[in-house]
């Protein structure tokens, strides 16, 4: 080990050297940056420092000097990519610099003796967000965020791409004086004078992320206070460090009894009983070497031999502080490897290792800047960076290499893929400054937003990407010509433009343009998926925004269910062995197991008490045992004892339902039964109300016998004038209707239907029990009975898409034991039918289900598991929240593109609502937090997030929800590209291609964007050129452009790009680009 301290390596003043507060080494190891009390950031050549003793060395020593702060600079840090340099000072400002490849425009600062700069570092951004001195800075390992801490007790997170303020974390109660980042890019830690270290969990934001997107990012994971209970408050810094293998945090200014120490905190459990003791004063700075070392030299394996056994790796840490001493420790030795006393006259302020881990730079408040160069094997034998990657892979780090470009086609594909992302990042900055033009929403007949010159806010359409986590480009179907009707233009655009140009007159008579508040600039809400549950705003504009903004293809409930949903009781389906008196424990199990040894299957009798072995019986003497009738293999649920009971509505004397113009009444969001009012300018007071009412007998019958009750009177009126009237011999309990038919359900289980004019459509439909839910949508009628049977009828064709189906499977009957008494089950909060006759049910436990008539089974589409485990869970900012359809505005009937529209966002909102109301989410969130820090669950969040997107895709393709399918597909492709999952990417592209191209000549099949929608295109392996209503070629083009920037995937994507001609036709790519 040798010390290197050149005389010229200092921030010199007229009388003395200025205090040096911080230093850092660039990622390539060629530059050392220092910051001092003279207000200058100086960049030095490390090569010149190493050769300070060589008189023949003639290259520049100081590469640059910047003075953009008005006070003492406390911290300076290079970004992990080496592109940016950040500094923070007591002027409350963070400055970001970048290296300009052009030569410096000036030779030297006027009036100084400094050497001319060799590099042109210019100011890139000034970040204003603190109210007191900035004490420390830190970049994430992927350079996606910059974090600054200050004496104002706040932690501010900035975007590493646009340098917007993403979030302010005010959780600390006193000065924050240090921070460090997890090399696995999952956490960062901040140290404060409130005697705590706080661990923050985050997900790297995308290139065009905004503060609104990151509202639920940067979550407090843990507060650690035990090692700092009596720590002194006299230190200038509390600079901590994270080990390169991600296992430990070295926390400065800790105490172990009365002795100052460095606390070693374990990852995951966030505790530790290891203290580095030896310093006489408080330790202000710790720095782990970025490399891992081995105690013994690693043998080089032969070419044909296997890799050697993994050695025991150690980490190296340097500590220094107010006692002016420096100590270097290795994890394999309980005592320090090096102790240097009186290294400086004043406290040591900062430490910085070179990337190779062989040199340590030290700065002090007396102006000292020196280097400690270690010889080979003094610290150990450094291992390759692959060992670092292996260690971090256990914690889910996905630091993949840049990959190799797959020829010129791959380079072109990567450029086109990045254009949309760069355009989005730059475009939003202009929009925030008020430079963007007004937005207008133009839709085509299929209900798809079309990007136009007036609504390209971020360089892409309104459904384009808003961040790096999620991609939502929207494309125009091939051959479609976007109409431009005047009524489709945003009515707020003109008002917004007037606000931007509003002229005001000041007191002195001068005219000025009134400034427009950024928040009122009309920018659309971001579509970044939320990582956590968020409660809906209960009043004001927020409550309105929380309502679904898409066409909801579901029946709207008219007769409200009880608060908490429709109660359900179960007998259960789960079987258990019966307990027989006098038999020892396990007697039946052993008997059955003994019988099954030779392969035979024992016969068990299913009783209320459980399963018992069947007892053989013999017939009468001399007569053969013969059954007169054979029991059927299957029994209709209406003929057997039901194991499910639902609450039955009571008979009311007067039931009234009101509709507008023979349609359901207008909702708060201006939509009529899921579609917009044809004339939105017409007020509710001037609309024609159509009312259907049922008057049940309210007194005893005239004859005195209960069976001779008076009939129920059904009346339909319009503006108070009767349209038709009918009588039913039984009391009515439910009513529903729309422009196609009216329907009523009676207490004896019969259902009636009439035309709008009052003609009976069908004979009374007799069910096995009382109806409890009656809903309609278009020509479809849904009825749920008290024993949980769901009936769906097409009133137009007098048919049913499937046999009656029971609600018992979705009410968790499989997990309840069969017993004599009923048990409570989740309540039914809503049941709907869509325009295709599909049944959609939500429960009080937050689950949402839909019945698949093609597979004859219930499918769970939404559940609490996704809400607490997926990074894509979203409540108020649904990625399909702004999808609209002009066809629905011009026609009362839902267009084909609106089939099942909005069902998935609706179910997820219901899941969020139920879990927040009942408080179930907190328990699962605590479970997930514990799992994230446990070994074996490193990729938990990523796996659950991808599974959530796959669940969405499967649901939308089953439902035929066209718009949501495209949105979720692009989100899924973006995430697969970020994770580098080659197998899934290849499988996805292969499924998208289908039979689009002939195997012989690779000629594309003729597209038919106007082909009718049917169930044939609702499977990945269908033989048509459509997939969920979209041309396969269009979807494939969008996915290829999203994946194009991932070099490690280009070996898979480039062949598809060549077939599609993406590298040759750039203009068409702009429609679907936006990754």
């Amino acid at each position: 080990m040798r010390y290197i301290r050149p005389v010229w390596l200092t921030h010199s003043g007229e009388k003395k050297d200025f205090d040096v507060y911080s230093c850092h080494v660039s990622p390539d190891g060629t530059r050392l940056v220092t910051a001092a009390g003279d207000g200058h950031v100086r960049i030095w050549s490390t090569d010149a420092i190493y050769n300070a003793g060589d008189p023949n060395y003639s290259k520049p020593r100081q590469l640059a000097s910047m003075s953009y702060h008005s006070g003492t600079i406390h911290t300076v840090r290079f970004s992990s990519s080496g592109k940016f340099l950040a500094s923070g000072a007591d002027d409350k400002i963070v400055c970001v610099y970048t290296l300009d490849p052009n030569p410096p425009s000036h030779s030297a600062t006027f009036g100084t003796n400094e050497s001319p700069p060799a590099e042109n570092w210019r100011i890139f951004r000034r970040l204003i967000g603190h109210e007191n001195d900035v004490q420390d800075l830190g970049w994430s390992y992927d350079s996606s965020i910059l974090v600054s801490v200050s004496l104002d007790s706040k932690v501010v997170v900035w975007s590493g791409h646009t340098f917007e303020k993403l979030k302010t974390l005010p959780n600390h109660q006193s000065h924050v004086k240090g921070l460090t980042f997890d090399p696995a890019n999952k956490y960062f830690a901040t140290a404060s004078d409130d005697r705590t270290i706080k661990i923050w969990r985050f997900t790297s934001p995308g290139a065009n992320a905004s503060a609104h997107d990151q509202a639920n990012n940067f979550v407090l994971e843990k507060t650690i206070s035990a090692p700092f209970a009596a720590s002194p408050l006299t230190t200038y810094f509390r600079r901590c460090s994270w080990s390169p293998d991600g296992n430990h945090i070295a926390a400065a200014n800790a105490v172990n009894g009365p002795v100052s120490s460095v606390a070693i905190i374990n990852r995951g459990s966030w505790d530790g009983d290891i203290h580095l003791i030896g310093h006489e004063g408080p330790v202000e700075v710790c720095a782990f070497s970025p490399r891992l070392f081995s105690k013994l030299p690693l043998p080089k394996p032969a070419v044909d031999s296997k890799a050697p056994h993994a050695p025991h790796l150690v980490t190296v840490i340097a500590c220094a502080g107010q006692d002016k001493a420096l100590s270097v420790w290795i994890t394999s030795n309980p005592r320090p490897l090096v102790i240097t006393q009186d290294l400086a006259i004043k406290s040591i302020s900062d430490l910085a290792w070179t990337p190779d881990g062989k040199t340590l730079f030290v700065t002090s408040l007396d102006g000292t800047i020196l280097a400690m160069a270690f010889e080979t094997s003094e610290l150990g034998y450094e291992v390759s960076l692959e060992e670092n990657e292996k260690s971090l892979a256990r914690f889910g780090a996905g630091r993949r290499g840049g990959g190799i470009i797959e020829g010129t086609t791959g380079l072109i594909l990567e450029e086109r893929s990045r254009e949309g992302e760069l355009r989005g990042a730059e475009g939003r900055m202009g929009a925030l400054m008020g430079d963007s033009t007004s937005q207008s929403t133009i839709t085509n007949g299929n209900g798809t937003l079309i990007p136009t010159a007036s609504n390209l806010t971020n360089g892409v359409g309104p459904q384009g990407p808003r961040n790096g986590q999620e991609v939502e480009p929207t494309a125009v179907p091939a051959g479609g010509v976007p109409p431009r009707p005047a009524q489709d233009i945003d009515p707020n655009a003109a008002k917004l433009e007037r606000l931007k140009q509003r002229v005001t007159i000041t007191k002195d008579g001068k005219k000025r343009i009134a400034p427009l508040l950024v928040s009122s600039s009309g920018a659309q809400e971001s579509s970044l998926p939320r990582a956590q549950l968020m409660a809906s705003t209960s009043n004001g504009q927020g409550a309105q925004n929380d309502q679904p903004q898409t066409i909801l293809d579901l029946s709207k409930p008219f007769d409200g269910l009880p608060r908490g949903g429709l109660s359900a009781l179960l007998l259960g389906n789960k079987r258990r062995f019966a307990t027989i008196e006098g038999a020892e424990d396990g007697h039946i199990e052993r008997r059955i197991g003994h019988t099954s040894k030779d392969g035979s299957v024992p016969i068990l009798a299913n009783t209320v008490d459980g399963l018992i072995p069947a007892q053989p019986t013999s017939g009468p003497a001399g007569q053969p045992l013969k059954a007169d009738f054979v029991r059927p293999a299957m029994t209709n649920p209406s003929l057997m004892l039901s194991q499910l009971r639902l609450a039955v509505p009571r008979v009311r004397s007067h039931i009234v339902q009101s509709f507008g113009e023979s349609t359901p009444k207008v909702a708060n969001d201006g939509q009529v039964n899921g579609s917009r009012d044809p004339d939105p300018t017409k007020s509710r007071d001037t609309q024609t109300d159509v009312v259907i009412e049922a008057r049940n007998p309210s007194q005893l019958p005239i004859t005195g016998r209960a069976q001779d009750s008076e009939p129920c009177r059904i009346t339909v009126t319009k503006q108070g004038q009767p349209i038709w009237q009918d009588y039913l011999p039984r009391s009515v309990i439910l009513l529903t209707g729309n422009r196609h038919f009216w329907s009523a359900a009676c207490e004896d289980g019969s259902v009636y239907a009439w035309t709008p004019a009052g003609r009976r459509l069908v004979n009374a439909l007799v069910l096995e029990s009382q109806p409890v839910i009656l809903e309609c949508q278009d020509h479809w009628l849904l009825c749920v009975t008290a024993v949980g049977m769901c009936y769906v009828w097409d009133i137009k064709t007098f048919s049913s898409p499937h046999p009656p189906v029971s609600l018992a499977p979705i009410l968790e009957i499989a997990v309840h034991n069969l017993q004599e008494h009923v048990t409570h089950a989740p309540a039914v909060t809503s049941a709907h039918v869509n325009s295709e006759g599909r049944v959609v049910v939500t429960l009080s436990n937050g689950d949402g289900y839909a019945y698949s008539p093609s597979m004859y089974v219930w499918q769970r589409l939404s559940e609490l598991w996704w809400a607490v485990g997926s990074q894509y869970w979203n409540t108020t900012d649904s990625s399909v929240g702004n999808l609209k359809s002009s066809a629905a505005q011009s026609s009362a009937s839902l267009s084909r593109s609106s089939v099942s529209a909005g069902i998935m966002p609706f179910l997820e909102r219901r899941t969020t609502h139920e879990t927040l109301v009942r408080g179930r989410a907190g328990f699962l969130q605590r479970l997930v937090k514990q799992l994230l820090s446990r070994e074996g669950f490193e990729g938990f969040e990523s796996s659950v997030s991808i599974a959530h997107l796959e669940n969405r895709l499967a649901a939308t393709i089953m439902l035929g929800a066209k718009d949501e399918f495209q949105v979720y597909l692009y989100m899924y492709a973006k995430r697969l590209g970020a994770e580098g999952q080659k197998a899934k990417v290849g499988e996805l592209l292969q499924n998208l291609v289908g039979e689009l191209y002939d195997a012989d000549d690779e000629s594309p099949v003729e597209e038919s964007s106007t082909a009718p929608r049917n169930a044939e295109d609702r499977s990945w392996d269908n033989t048509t050129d459509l997939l969920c209503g979209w041309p396969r070629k269009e979807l494939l083009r969008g996915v290829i452009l999203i994946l194009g920037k991932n070099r490690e995937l280009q070996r898979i994507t480039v062949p598809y790009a060549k077939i599609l001609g993406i590298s040759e036709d750039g203009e068409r790519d702009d429609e679907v680009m936006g990754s």
Side-chain angles (χ1 to χ4, degrees):
M1 182 185 68
R2 60 192 180 96
Y3 295 94
I4 305 174
R5 186 178 180 181
V7 294
W8 46 264
L9 187 59
T10 182
H11 288 249
S12 58
E14 295 181 0
K15 297 182 179 179
K16 65 173 184 177
D17 294 340
F18 285 96
D19 302 351
V20 181
Y21 290 91
S22 184
C23 65
H24 200 235
V25 182
S26 63
D28 59 3
T30 59
R31 301 177 183 90
L32 169 70
V33 60
T34 57
D38 59 352
H40 282 73
V41 173
R42 302 183 187 274
I43 300 178
W44 314 87
S45 170
T46 55
D47 188 56
I49 298 174
Y50 301 151
N51 293 277
D54 186 0
N56 299 323
Y57 188 84
S58 59
K59 294 182 180 180
R61 299 170 178 173
Q62 181 174 298
L63 302 179
S65 176
M66 294 87 75
S67 178
Y68 293 96
H69 287 284
S70 60
T72 300
I73 304 176
H74 294 151
T75 177
V76 62
R77 295 289 184 264
F78 279 105
S79 66
S80 302
S81 62
K83 182 179 180 181
F84 296 110
L85 172 66
S87 61
D90 60 6
D91 58 1
K92 313 171 190 177
I93 295 177
V94 176
C95 291
V96 180
Y97 316 88
T98 185
L99 179 60
D100 194 333
N102 299 319
S105 58
H106 57 281
S107 58
T109 304
F110 180 76
T112 64
N113 297 325
E114 293 184 358
S115 58
E119 295 179 346
N120 187 13
W121 286 83
R122 60 181 178 84
I123 189 74
F124 185 76
R125 288 285 189 277
R126 290 178 183 267
L127 310 182
I128 301 175
H130 286 287
E131 302 171 359
N132 209 329
D133 301 3
V134 179
Q135 286 294 101
D136 206 358
L137 295 169
W139 296 83
S140 63
Y141 274 73
D142 59 357
S143 299
S144 61
I145 60 172
L146 168 68
V147 177
S148 58
V149 299
S150 168
L151 299 183
D152 60 3
S153 307
K154 295 179 181 177
V155 179
V156 179
V157 183
W158 313 85
S159 169
H161 305 278
T162 62
F163 294 101
E164 298 179 43
K165 184 195 293 186
L166 299 182
K167 195 169 186 180
T168 300
L169 308 173
N171 300 60
H172 280 291
Q173 304 301 316
S174 186
H175 309 324
V176 190
K177 296 183 176 180
L179 83 154
T180 182
F181 267 89
D182 171 22
N185 224 46
K186 302 294 181 183
Y187 303 96
F188 65 86
T190 55
S192 169
D193 273 353
D194 60 5
R195 294 188 170 98
T196 66
I197 280 185
K198 295 186 183 294
I199 310 295
W200 309 87
R201 180 164 55 90
F202 74 99
T203 301
S204 296
N208 51 353
S210 65
H212 183 72
D213 299 335
Q214 305 301 312
N216 286 323
N217 203 351
F218 314 107
V219 181
L220 179 61
E221 178 78 9
K222 183 72 173 179
T223 298
I224 306 169
S225 57
F228 318 101
S231 62
L233 304 179
T234 58
T235 57
Y236 209 86
F237 300 106
R238 288 176 179 257
R239 287 174 168 156
C240 42
S241 180
W242 212 302
S243 64
D245 58 1
N247 283 322
H248 305 98
I249 301 174
N253 200 8
V255 292
N256 186 9
V259 182
S260 298
S261 69
V262 175
I264 304 298
I265 301 171
N266 299 319
R267 184 195 186 100
S269 61
W270 309 118
D271 57 4
D273 53 359
I274 300 177
H275 288 261
L276 306 182
I277 301 174
H279 285 270
E280 298 177 356
V283 176
E284 295 195 20
V285 56
C286 304
F288 272 103
S289 172
R291 301 296 292 269
L292 295 174
F293 293 87
S294 173
K295 297 176 65 176
L296 300 174
L298 297 178
K300 294 184 179 180
V303 177
D304 57 347
S305 64
K306 297 182 180 180
H309 181 69
H312 176 67
L313 303 180
V314 298
T315 56
V316 177
I317 180 175
C319 309
Q322 291 185 358
D323 61 354
K324 307 149 199 139
L326 173 70
S327 61
V328 179
W329 308 69
I330 59 175
T331 53
S332 61
N333 196 336
R335 296 182 178 276
L337 184 68
V338 177
I339 299 178
T340 303
Q341 298 284 350
D342 298 328
L343 194 61
I345 300 176
K346 294 184 179 179
S347 300
I348 295 176
S349 57
D350 207 357
L351 302 172
W353 289 91
T354 54
D356 59 5
K358 294 182 178 180
T359 306
L360 176 65
F361 287 94
V362 184
T363 60
S364 172
L365 296 183
D366 63 356
T368 299
I369 305 174
L370 60 85
M372 296 178 59
F374 293 90
E375 301 296 335
T376 304
S377 76
E378 284 186 336
L379 299 176
Y381 297 90
E382 60 179 317
V383 299
S384 64
L385 290 175
E386 294 179 358
E387 297 297 332
N388 290 50
E389 300 294 337
K390 291 179 182 178
S391 299
L392 296 175
R394 297 186 296 117
F395 306 115
R399 303 197 290 181
R400 296 176 298 277
I404 302 175
I405 290 289
E406 294 290 328
T408 56
T409 305
L411 184 60
I412 295 174
L413 180 61
E414 180 177 349
E415 291 177 355
R416 297 200 184 283
S417 179
R418 291 186 181 276
E419 280 179 9
E421 185 173 353
L422 181 61
R423 240 187 358 250
E426 295 176 350
R428 193 189 341 83
M429 292 302 295
L432 290 175
M433 300 303 295
D435 297 336
S436 62
T437 59
S438 61
Q439 300 177 1
S440 65
T441 303
I442 298 180
T443 61
N444 60 8
N446 291 330
T448 308
L449 285 175
I450 301 176
T452 64
S454 60
N455 64 5
L456 294 178
T457 308
N458 290 350
V460 294
Q463 292 300 313
R466 305 290 297 182
N467 54 37
Q469 296 287 339
E470 176 175 327
V471 176
E472 302 166 4
T474 305
V476 184
V481 178
R484 296 176 179 269
Q487 62 269 22
D488 285 342
I489 299 178
D490 186 3
N492 295 323
K495 180 180 178 182
L496 177 61
E497 201 63 33
R498 290 195 302 269
L499 287 175
K500 290 182 178 179
Q501 303 297 331
R502 187 173 58 186
V503 179
T504 58
I505 300 177
T506 60
K507 294 181 179 180
D508 54 0
K510 295 182 180 180
K511 294 183 178 181
R512 293 289 184 269
I513 300 293
L516 176 65
L517 200 62
V518 170
S519 60
S520 64
S521 61
Q524 295 181 355
E525 289 187 352
S526 171
S527 57
L528 178 72
R530 299 294 180 87
Q532 287 189 352
L533 294 174
M534 284 292 291
S536 304
T537 308
S538 59
N539 53 13
Q541 184 68 21
Q544 181 179 356
N545 292 339
D546 191 39
Q547 300 300 321
Q549 301 296 321
T550 121
I551 295 175
L552 181 57
D553 182 23
L554 282 180
S555 58
K556 197 173 186 64
F558 305 121
D559 209 356
L561 296 178
R563 174 173 292 186
L566 204 63
S567 300
L569 299 175
L570 291 176
L571 290 176
N573 254 354
K574 193 175 182 181
R575 300 299 187 254
R576 53 185 174 82
F577 290 112
T579 303
I580 301 178
E581 295 184 3
E584 58 183 13
D585 295 340
H587 171 71
I588 298 179
E589 289 86 340
R590 287 199 301 270
R591 179 177 170 184
I592 294 174
H594 179 74
T595 309
S596 304
K597 283 184 178 179
D598 56 355
S600 60
V601 179
I603 300 177
L604 301 175
N606 182 20
T607 66
V608 176
D609 296 328
L611 298 176
I612 61 174
Q615 301 296 328
T617 59
S618 59
Q623 296 182 4
L625 184 61
K626 181 179 179 180
D628 294 332
F629 297 95
V630 179
R631 291 184 59 188
M634 296 182 62
T635 305
N636 191 297
S638 63
L639 303 178
M640 61 183 296
L641 178 64
S642 174
Q643 296 175 249
L644 172 62
R645 298 287 189 275
L646 295 178
V648 180
R650 64 181 181 179
V651 178
R652 293 167 286 177
S653 60
H654 192 198
I655 305 174
V656 180
Q657 294 293 342
S658 176
F659 309 94
E661 296 184 346
S662 300
T663 59
K665 56 187 178 181
V666 180
N668 292 334
D669 56 359
Q671 296 184 358
V672 181
N673 195 22
S675 61
R676 286 196 175 275
D677 190 343
D679 187 5
T681 61
K682 186 184 296 183
S683 66
R684 181 176 302 189
D685 297 335
T686 62
Q687 286 182 346
T688 303
D689 284 339
V690 178
V691 178
I692 181 173
E693 57 180 332
R695 292 186 177 272
N696 293 315
S698 57
Q699 58 185 358
L700 295 175
I702 300 176
T703 62
R705 299 192 310 167
Q707 61 267 31
D708 297 333
S709 62
E710 296 179 7
C712 171
R713 187 172 71 233
I714 305 291
T715 306
V716 175
T717 60
K718 183 175 183 179
Q719 289 184 334
Q721 299 297 323
I723 299 178
W724 61 268
Q725 193 174 63
D726 201 352
Y727 298 90
L728 298 178
R730 300 162 184 87
S731 297
V732 171
I733 55 178
L734 295 172
L735 291 173
T736 188
N738 56 26
R739 62 174 54 89
H740 300 294
F741 67 92
W742 305 100
S743 182
C746 299
E747 63 174 342
D748 68 339
S750 56
V751 178
Y752 297 83
W754 298 268
T755 64
R759 177 175 57 88
R760 292 210 180 190
L761 275 171
V762 67
N763 302 104
L765 308 176
V766 183
L767 308 180
E768 76 282 349
S769 60
Q770 297 94 335
V772 296
I773 295 176
L774 193 66
E775 300 289 343
C776 66
Q777 173 81 338
D778 289 349
H779 296 281
W780 297 96
L781 178 63
L782 166 68
C783 182
V784 181
T785 66
V787 294
M789 298 301 296
C790 292
Y791 294 84
V792 179
W793 303 292
D794 187 347
I795 300 299
K796 186 176 182 180
T797 61
F798 304 119
S799 61
S800 178
H802 53 78
V805 57
S806 174
L807 291 178
I810 66 175
L811 294 178
E812 302 179 351
I813 195 171
V815 299
H816 287 81
N817 289 323
L818 176 64
Q819 51 191 355
E820 293 185 49
H821 304 288
V822 293
T823 58
H824 284 283
V828 179
T829 55
S830 67
H832 308 268
V833 61
N834 78 336
S835 60
E836 286 190 331
R838 294 179 182 267
V839 184
V840 177
V841 179
T842 61
L843 305 180
S844 59
N845 60 6
D847 292 353
Y849 296 86
Y851 187 75
S852 173
S854 59
M855 301 182 69
Y856 297 102
V857 72
W858 289 100
Q859 294 189 15
R860 185 187 294 112
L861 307 188
S862 178
E863 58 180 317
L864 177 59
W865 175 250
W866 306 125
V868 298
S870 172
Q871 298 170 338
Y872 289 89
W873 188 261
N874 190 8
T875 56
T876 60
D877 300 324
S878 175
S879 56
V880 293
N882 291 324
L883 294 177
K884 301 177 183 177
S885 174
S886 61
Q889 298 179 15
S890 59
S891 173
S893 61
L894 293 174
S895 63
R896 288 178 178 174
S897 65
S898 300
V899 171
S900 300
I903 291 181
M904 278 303 294
F906 165 78
L907 292 178
E908 293 192 351
R909 282 193 299 270
R910 292 303 298 261
T911 300
T912 300
H913 172 75
E914 293 295 338
T915 52
L916 289 177
V917 168
R918 302 176 190 278
R920 296 182 61 238
F923 298 100
L924 272 179
Q925 284 178 338
R926 286 198 292 269
L927 172 64
V928 170
K929 282 187 177 182
Q930 294 177 358
L931 291 178
L932 290 175
S933 59
R934 189 178 300 175
E935 187 173 355
F937 291 86
E938 294 81 11
F940 174 81
E941 262 187 326
S942 175
S943 298
V944 174
S945 299
I946 292 176
H948 180 216
L949 292 178
E950 293 169 348
N951 179 78
R952 282 177 167 181
L953 280 177
T956 51
I957 199 172
M958 184 269 291
L959 294 169
K962 177 181 177 182
D963 291 330
E964 286 102 321
F965 175 76
Q966 187 201 41
V967 170
Y968 296 149
L969 175 65
Y970 289 162
M971 291 165 56
Y972 181 59
K974 179 73 173 183
R975 186 56 183 257
L976 291 184
E979 296 289 338
Q981 298 200 12
K982 297 181 180 180
K984 287 189 176 182
V985 168
E987 187 178 67
L988 176 64
L989 296 178
Q990 187 177 3
N991 286 335
L992 287 176
V993 170
E995 298 185 5
L996 182 63
Y997 294 94
D998 187 77
D1000 297 331
D1001 55 4
E1002 292 186 345
S1003 60
V1005 177
E1006 184 68 23
E1007 292 185 16
S1008 178
S1009 59
T1010 60
R1013 289 287 310 281
N1014 51 52
E1016 294 180 358
D1017 65 344
R1018 297 188 187 177
S1019 65
W1020 292 97
D1021 297 327
N1022 72 79
T1023 56
T1024 68
D1025 61 342
L1026 295 177
L1027 182 60
C1028 200
W1030 291 97
R1032 286 179 176 270
K1033 187 175 181 179
E1034 185 176 330
L1035 296 177
L1036 181 63
R1037 179 183 293 270
V1039 171
I1040 289 296
L1041 288 172
I1042 290 171
L1043 298 172
K1045 65 179 179 181
N1046 300 282
R1047 292 187 179 181
E1048 64 272 16
L1049 300 175
Q1050 285 187 355
R1051 184 163 294 182
I1052 303 173
T1053 57
V1054 164
Y1056 294 94
K1058 289 181 178 179
I1059 294 176
L1060 293 172
I1062 292 179
S1063 59
E1064 301 171 1
D1065 187 4
E1067 295 181 358
R1068 295 185 59 190
D1069 301 342
D1070 295 336
E1071 297 177 355
V1072 293
M1073 197 181 312
S1075 57

